[in-house]
Amino acid sequence: MRGGPGSAQGPIPLSEADLVRYRSLTAARHPRFGKDAKGLTPPQLETLGWLTEGIDKLVEARNAAFAATEGSTFAPFFDAVEAKPLTSEQRDAVICWDERQLIVAAAGSGKTSTLIAKAGYAIHRGLAQPDEILALTYTNKAGHELKDRIAKRANPHVHASTMHSWSFDLLRDHGNELGLP
């Protein structure tokens, strides 16, 4: 469910992978490179930077537009997903959709609320199914709290655990495949 420019969902965010793919396609279309450019490596693409001069500003502008659109579209969700509305920093972390994201913050700053909102946002936006989401935390106390709150506020099928418990389960269930006793 990703929208493009002018769609009801507004612009989509561009990632580093999109940028590399764009540079590769741009080089491939250039008459000097022809079909052979599809196999270019990132260092080779870097030398062709003149083909995509200014693309970084385009990506930044497009991502800012996407964040603004998502921020207003999902404002009611961000206001109600937890007991207190999410802060602007939490909303930015929820909207940011890199392949992996590490949230580091002080105790009581809202990391658990951000994880819960991120899971709920992914489900509501159609970016992931509940059983495709893994929410990990470090301590047992935070793990129990995360499990309880994510089940109530996002979806009971989201897997929430501590890193240690999840790792133990993974090794217990798949250790033989890795040659472990």
Side-chain angles (χ1 to χ4, degrees):
M1 285 189 18
R2 292 172 61 131
S7 76
Q9 294 176 336
I12 60 169
L14 297 174
S15 67
E16 189 63 32
D18 293 326
L19 188 55
V20 168
R21 192 169 31 259
Y22 174 80
R23 286 182 174 149
S24 177
L25 291 172
T26 303
R29 287 190 205 117
H30 194 278
R32 182 167 177 209
F33 300 108
K35 296 176 188 173
D36 298 334
K38 287 188 178 181
L40 291 177
T41 63
Q44 291 169 323
L45 288 171
E46 192 64 36
T47 63
L48 301 172
W50 56 272
L51 288 171
T52 57
E53 227 169 87
I55 191 74
D56 294 333
K57 288 182 183 174
L58 172 69
V59 169
E60 188 177 318
R62 182 134 179 190
N63 286 346
F66 175 80
T69 301
E70 289 293 282
S72 24
T73 302
F74 283 89
F77 172 76
F78 295 145
D79 290 341
V81 68
E82 282 282 76
K84 294 190 298 187
L86 298 183
T87 67
S88 61
E89 291 85 5
Q90 288 172 312
R91 292 170 193 230
D92 289 345
V94 169
I95 291 168
C96 176
W97 205 257
D98 292 334
E99 288 184 24
R100 293 168 285 306
Q101 190 173 20
L102 175 66
I103 299 172
V104 179
S109 61
K111 294 179 295 293
T112 302
S113 293
T114 304
L115 285 172
I116 292 164
K118 193 161 191 76
Y121 171 79
I123 295 164
H124 290 294
R125 186 73 164 81
L127 298 170
Q129 294 299 311
D131 62 351
E132 297 173 329
I133 299 172
L134 173 63
L136 296 176
T137 190
Y138 192 73
T139 67
N140 284 330
K141 181 182 174 192
H144 292 300
E145 183 179 350
L146 177 64
K147 226 183 244 191
D148 181 51
R149 285 168 53 190
I150 212 164
K152 288 178 184 171
R153 298 186 175 138
N155 189 294
H157 302 291
V158 171
H159 187 77
S161 181
T162 64
M163 292 185 323
H164 298 97
S165 176
W166 179 75
S167 298
F168 177 81
D169 292 344
L170 186 68
L171 289 172
R172 181 195 63 221
D173 297 343
H174 301 283
N176 320 6
E177 299 165 29
L178 300 171
L180 299 174

